[in-house]
Amino acid sequence: MKHIYERTAKYAKLAAFLILAIYIAIVFIFKDIIWKDFETHFIVGFMFFIFYSISFIFQNAAEKLPAEHGLHSDYFSVEFPVKELNFQQDVSLIPQSYLVSNIGERLYKIEPSKEHSISRLLTACAIFKRGFFYPITYNLKTMDENLVCQFTIKNKIKFIKLKVYDHANKQISTIVLPPISVKNRAVIFNANNEKILQMEAKSMYGDIDVDDFNGKRLATYRYGIFPYATHPAFEVQAMNVHVKLAQDLTHTEKLTFAALFYYWTGNQ
């Protein structure tokens, strides 16, 4: 939670000085027109004051918060021994999310791959971050930068394809989804392109239940309702995503669900 306040303060301060710099440039270029426009001066000054005040407030709040505790080594590994997925978005131009513990400690991070610099920069625009026009590769890493898995999102117009790779860059599964649907639907194939799961949620952003062919519940997502919703680490943001996983999922299934639910909900 502390880092979210710090980054909010940083971006608010950058916004304040960016507004000021642009306004000074405009005044210099169009000084005969702008110089006597006192209403514009007031509006720009007010915006600068608001953003700078926000920066000051959030920075003071961050300084009062305790630093994050050290993470248990079991969670600090590529083995991905999680039993639930708590997605939390960071404050950043490039989309960056974290899988956090029940008290908001960052366990893993998800971000566009730095190996694909052009596509990474394109994700600053919402239309590109879901693989439209250009495939986007995301990395799921531990907090000390060890790769856990990669998944690539490609919009093929007729359908969306997510390919999931392990830390050794070996493909472990493929997820196929419709580009537009009133419900979340997906079909999962294994590394041999054999169909292993087919699912349909109750709605686009509401209840999502993932069952296997025998009706066994593999994962559950409930919009806005999860056990830690009242903890300060989750109250700081309006959008948090909690996914409960079945106890006996394989490593491949956990990584596949992490990619799937990130696409469905974690990067909205």
Side-chain angles (χ1 to χ4, degrees):
M1 180 171 63
K2 182 181 178 72
H3 77 281
I4 294 178
Y5 280 106
E6 291 174 338
R7 290 179 67 87
T8 301
K10 175 184 176 181
Y11 276 86
K13 185 178 290 186
L14 286 174
F17 284 105
L18 181 62
I19 290 171
L20 184 61
I22 293 174
Y23 185 66
I24 291 174
I26 292 175
V27 170
F28 181 78
I29 297 172
F30 304 102
K31 57 183 178 181
D32 294 336
I33 301 174
I34 301 295
W35 187 251
K36 297 180 180 180
D37 190 348
F38 296 104
E39 182 179 347
T40 302
H41 294 331
F42 174 79
I43 292 174
V44 173
F46 181 74
M47 291 175 62
F48 176 83
F49 173 77
I50 291 296
F51 278 103
Y52 197 81
S53 297
I54 290 173
S55 171
F56 181 78
I57 292 171
F58 274 90
Q59 186 60 47
N60 279 348
E63 291 173 357
K64 295 177 181 178
L65 293 173
E68 292 184 3
H69 299 293
L71 300 176
H72 193 282
S73 59
D74 286 347
Y75 282 96
F76 216 83
S77 70
V78 298
E79 297 303 321
F80 204 59
V82 297
K83 298 180 181 179
E84 58 191 9
L85 304 172
N86 295 314
F87 292 92
Q88 190 172 79
Q89 293 180 336
D90 203 348
V91 181
S92 176
L93 293 176
I94 303 297
Q96 184 167 274
S97 297
Y98 294 101
L99 293 175
V100 302
S101 69
N102 61 335
I103 57 174
E105 293 174 317
R106 292 173 289 174
L107 307 176
Y108 298 92
K109 62 181 177 181
I110 303 174
E111 62 182 359
S113 173
K114 296 179 181 178
E115 298 173 357
H116 305 83
S117 56
I118 296 178
S119 61
R120 175 182 171 84
L121 292 175
L122 289 175
T123 58
C125 299
I127 193 173
F128 292 108
K129 70 178 184 178
R130 296 170 70 87
F132 197 65
F133 299 124
Y134 200 89
I136 303 296
T137 298
Y138 289 87
N139 289 341
L140 171 59
K141 293 184 175 182
T142 63
M143 294 308 297
D144 57 353
E145 296 293 326
N146 288 321
L147 182 65
V148 178
C149 76
Q150 286 185 325
F151 55 93
T152 299
I153 303 174
K154 173 61 176 177
N155 188 325
K156 290 183 170 291
I157 308 300
K158 293 184 178 180
F159 59 91
I160 310 296
K161 178 180 283 188
L162 277 73
K163 290 187 176 181
V164 186
Y165 304 84
D166 63 13
H167 67 281
N169 202 32
K170 178 182 177 182
Q171 185 175 345
I172 57 176
S173 62
T174 301
I175 309 170
V176 177
L177 312 94
I180 300 175
S181 176
V182 296
K183 294 184 178 183
N184 277 315
R185 293 184 295 156
V187 179
I188 298 178
F189 300 86
N190 62 18
N192 298 319
N193 288 323
E194 298 171 339
K195 181 178 177 181
I196 56 175
L197 283 176
Q198 180 172 335
M199 61 205 72
E200 180 175 291
K202 296 180 180 179
S203 67
M204 179 63 77
Y205 298 113
D207 297 347
I208 300 175
D209 295 327
V210 179
D211 299 333
D212 64 12
F213 293 124
N214 298 318
K216 178 185 176 182
R217 184 63 42 86
L218 301 177
T220 299
Y221 163 65
R222 294 291 179 265
Y223 179 77
I225 302 174
F226 56 95
Y228 325 117
T230 59
H231 191 282
F234 298 95
E235 288 182 333
V236 70
Q237 289 188 335
M239 182 65 179
N240 293 282
V241 175
H242 172 84
V243 179
K244 183 179 180 182
L245 301 175
Q247 294 293 323
D248 55 351
L249 290 185
T250 66
H251 180 67
T252 295
E253 288 172 330
K254 288 181 181 180
L255 296 179
T256 300
F257 285 141
L260 174 61
F261 277 95
Y262 179 81
Y263 178 84
W264 268 347
T265 61
N267 67 341
Q268 302 298 326

